[in-house]
Amino acid sequence: MHRLAIREGWSTFFLAATLVLTATLSIQRANWADGLSILVPVALAGLATGLVLASARRIPSALAHLLALAVGSVVVLYQMTTFLDDALGGWGDKLAFLWLRWNGWIGAVVEGRRADDLYLFVLLMAVLVWTLSYITVWVVFRSG
């Protein structure tokens, strides 16, 4: 049972999780775009990853952040592929679809044209929620 103990206490973690999930659910309930339902699983994964990496004090901070970046990328891209229509094909086809949309969006921005894409909006919101979740737990538990 000692392994499940956290130095700062579980109540601290649940308060941090409540903070993150309140913001996440507010974004989701605003219903700005279809697909925002992926934000809660992304937030939960970010909270869990932050807790595990912050608790592993033997891992250097830079390495922990690189691991979090890798885990976050996998989680966000996996959630995006579950959101995208299966008519696009498998996960590789869905990732290619997102990549093409990203390139089109960047091209429009560089040329000064209007650039809006709801798929990329959902993707970037998921990245923001992951980052918020991970950093919240990291700052509370590792940085103090």
Side-chain angles (χ1 to χ4, degrees):
M1 195 66 169
H2 186 266
R3 290 182 154 233
L4 295 177
I6 299 175
R7 185 174 68 187
E8 292 81 359
W10 280 104
S11 59
T12 304
F13 174 75
F14 287 120
L15 287 171
T18 300
L19 174 74
V20 168
L21 290 171
T22 300
T24 302
L25 289 169
S26 296
I27 294 167
Q28 187 176 328
R29 294 277 297 164
N31 204 21
W32 292 324
D34 291 339
L36 292 176
S37 60
I38 71 169
L39 297 182
V40 170
V42 168
L44 293 173
L47 290 166
T49 303
L51 182 62
V52 167
L53 291 176
S55 298
R57 299 200 183 267
R58 286 184 256 183
I59 298 175
S61 296
L63 179 59
H65 295 323
L66 284 174
L67 288 170
L69 178 64
V71 171
S73 298
V74 169
V75 167
V76 168
L77 291 175
Y78 173 77
Q79 288 297 322
M80 280 302 296
T81 59
T82 60
F83 158 63
L84 292 172
D85 190 2
D86 288 336
L88 291 171
W91 63 271
D93 297 321
K94 291 177 182 181
L95 292 177
F97 171 78
L98 286 173
W99 182 252
L100 289 173
R101 294 187 80 93
W102 179 259
N103 283 333
W105 185 82
I106 293 292
V109 169
V110 167
E111 294 171 4
R113 293 183 286 127
R114 182 175 177 202
D116 56 352
D117 189 311
L118 288 178
Y119 293 114
L120 295 180
F121 174 75
V122 172
L123 176 68
L124 293 176
M125 289 304 294
V127 169
L128 285 173
V129 165
W130 170 268
T131 305
L132 171 71
S133 303
Y134 171 72
I135 289 180
T136 297
V137 175
W138 179 268
V139 167
V140 170
F141 286 89
R142 185 77 170 251
S143 299

